[in-house]
Each structure stands twice: as C-alpha cells, then as structure tokens.
Amino acid sequence: MDLRPIGVFDSGSGGLTAVREIRSILPSENIIYFGDTSRVPYGSRSAEILLRYARQDVRFLRTFDIKALVVACGTVSTTALPRLQAENADLPMLGVVEPSCRRAVSVTRNKRVGLIATAASVRSGAYERTIAGLDGDITVVSKACPLFVPLVENGRFRPGDPVIETVAREYLEPLRATGIDTLILGCTHYPLLTEIIADIMGPGVTLIDSGAAAARVLRQTLSDRGALAQRDHGTLTLYASDQPEDFGALAGQFLRRPLESAVQHVDIERY
Ligand code: DGL
C-alpha cells in the first residue's frame, strides 16, 4: 500500500475528464491536479516549447512526493512523453496515447480508426505510429480540431450551443464520410463534447475516451507495484497557473460535482 498522491496535469481543465475517470475507478487515491491555465492552449505550440512547459509541470508536481504521474494532455503525450519518462525514470509516468490506441485496436471491426486531436498531436504522427505497431492492417484517418479546446475552455460545450455544433459538424462530417467505425478522442478536452460528437458520427462509431483508457492503465500499474491506496476516500487538490476562481467554476462542471476546496494558484514559471 502507498498513500502518496498521484500527480495529473494538463494545459487547462481538459485533463479533469481523466481525473473524473481515475476517481471513479480509484476512489481511495489522493490526486493533485495542475492545469496550466496561463499558457493554454498547448495544441498550437512547437515541440520545443511544449517540452519546456511540460518539464515545469512535472517539476511542480514532483514537489508533492507523488507515486505516479499521469500526463492527461494528448498534446504533451504525443510530443514530449518519452523525454519526460527518461528524465524521471524513478517515477511511473503514463500518457494517454498508448492506452487509447490499444483500446481502439481492440474495438475496431473494419480496421478503420479515426483520430481527432490538437494540431500538435496530429502533426506528431504519434497515434498512427502506435497503432501501426499494434496492428499494421489498420488505417488511421486524422483530423486536427483546433477550435475545440478554446470553445470548451470558454464553457461552450453543451449540446444545442450553435457555435460548438457548427464547428463540430464542419470538423466531423468529412470524417464520418471516410467510413471509420472507431474514433479516438485524442485530446482530454473532447470527452466534454461526447454527446455532440456521438450525434454527428452516428451509432456505428465507437468513441474512445483517452482519459478513461489511461485511468485503467494507471490502476493496473499501481496494482502491479503494490502501490494502491486503501482508505475510505481520497482527496482532490487543484492548482492552476492563472485565474484559479474561473478554473474552479469550470472544474466543478467537468467533474460533475462540487469542489472539495478552492483552487490554488501556482506561479509555474518558478519551476
Ligand atoms: N487537453 C490537451 C490535450 O489533450 C491540451 C489541449 C490544448 O491545450 O491545446 O491535447
């Protein structure tokens, strides 16, 4: 048993969809979450800048003596994860790419898998490479959806909202026409759009939530190491690098429950 916390980070609030999944299957764990709200979005940045940001995010979370770290950001997972893992070899660290690719490979029947993600994630080719390594017969059709993150961060994610509905149709209708039967939501902001995406893609397309896939791998990793916590219930502590009050309001909606404590501010440039 290991009662130390799990660290989780994302560029903003999107990674909270992964936290929601982690809490539902690992309710005893303490979680420390960092949302880099002063530098969101990550998805339009270069690999060099992303690595610098991600190193600071990891350094901050490591000040808490964490037992594992979840990179709940598709963009950092696709561009910087191997470097971060090599630099923190003593810490179990997982991203969202491999878990969601494994799930997609096991779910697809017609071997046509779609990917929607940020521009940086799509540009990296990481999902295509990972899927090719798992099953060389699968075709991957990718689509960058750069407007999704700012819309979600601004609370425009509800079905019926004309702005998000219009943007989603423009991105997704061409993807539906390619005949995919599985779609990876390769950015942790996108599960907030599940209803809208499912409606456009139709019932024949299975959506893969990358945070949920990562949560299952995290449970396995901790269990293999004998590091699961056993206590009544764990806590969630939230940090943001800008406007913690706004982040707190959005976080409650993402987590679908009131927050246990106020979001704390961190000056991430100090790390
Ligand atoms: N939620 C993140 C991801 O999974 C980051 C999106 C962004 O900041 O552009 O890619």
Side-chain angles (χ1 to χ4, degrees):
M1 171 157 94
D2 188 339
L3 293 175
R4 289 178 301 156
I6 297 163
V8 182
F9 78 87
D10 179 42
S11 58
S13 46
L16 291 170
T17 61
V19 168
R20 195 170 68 204
E21 301 294 337
I22 295 169
R23 295 195 97 193
S24 82
I25 63 168
L26 292 169
S28 300
E29 300 294 340
N30 282 353
I31 298 172
I32 298 180
Y33 181 89
F34 171 62
D36 196 1
T37 48
S38 66
R39 305 188 293 197
V40 68
Y42 279 12
S44 48
R45 315 230 179 239
S46 67
E48 294 70 33
I49 293 284
L50 286 166
L51 182 60
R52 181 163 74 77
Y53 287 179
R55 278 178 170 144
Q56 290 178 305
D57 303 344
V58 173
R59 256 182 242 133
F60 167 63
L61 285 170
R62 291 213 71 168
T63 63
F64 295 96
D65 188 26
I66 50 177
K67 63 179 170 184
L69 190 140
V70 179
V71 179
C73 175
T75 307
V76 173
S77 300
T78 54
T79 55
L81 187 63
R83 284 288 285 277
L84 297 173
Q85 286 170 324
E87 290 167 7
N88 296 270
D90 57 320
L91 179 70
M93 186 186 296
L94 59 107
V96 291
V97 176
E98 189 168 333
S100 50
C101 289
R102 284 192 183 279
R103 183 111 189 95
V105 167
S106 72
V107 160
T108 182
R109 294 166 306 278
N110 71 2
K111 296 198 181 280
R112 295 182 69 76
V113 172
L115 163 73
I116 51 174
T118 65
S121 287
V122 168
R123 202 182 315 122
S124 76
Y127 283 90
E128 284 88 341
R129 276 196 305 281
T130 306
I131 288 179
L134 295 168
D135 182 340
D137 293 334
I138 292 180
T139 303
V140 181
V141 187
S142 307
K143 175 87 186 162
C145 303
L147 292 175
F148 277 174
V149 169
L151 286 172
V152 169
E153 288 284 331
N154 283 284
R156 307 297 296 264
F157 51 78
R158 287 186 187 79
D161 181 308
V163 179
I164 189 67
E165 293 269 3
T166 306
V167 170
R169 283 193 189 284
E170 184 162 324
Y171 285 145
L172 299 176
E173 277 171 356
L175 204 53
R176 187 184 59 200
T178 65
I180 55 169
D181 72 353
T182 306
L183 178 61
I184 299 175
L185 310 186
C187 169
T188 47
H189 282 71
Y190 298 176
L192 268 295
L193 304 172
T194 297
E195 249 181 274
I196 294 170
I197 296 170
D199 192 46
I200 298 169
M201 298 309 291
V205 177
T206 305
L207 305 185
I208 308 290
D209 176 330
S210 54
R216 281 190 287 270
V217 174
L218 173 67
R219 180 174 57 187
Q220 192 59 50
T221 306
L222 293 178
S223 161
D224 291 348
R225 303 169 73 94
L228 289 166
Q230 279 149 16
R231 58 158 90 79
D232 270 359
H233 76 97
T235 57
L236 172 62
T237 310
L238 300 174
Y239 289 87
S241 52
D242 196 17
Q243 298 189 311
E245 298 81 13
D246 291 358
F247 180 75
L250 204 55
Q253 296 175 36
F254 273 47
L255 294 165
R256 300 206 188 109
R257 57 158 76 181
L259 298 185
E260 295 144 35
S261 54
V263 179
Q264 297 171 61
H265 176 257
V266 56
D267 178 3
I268 196 64
E269 295 295 354
R270 283 181 35 228
Y271 292 88

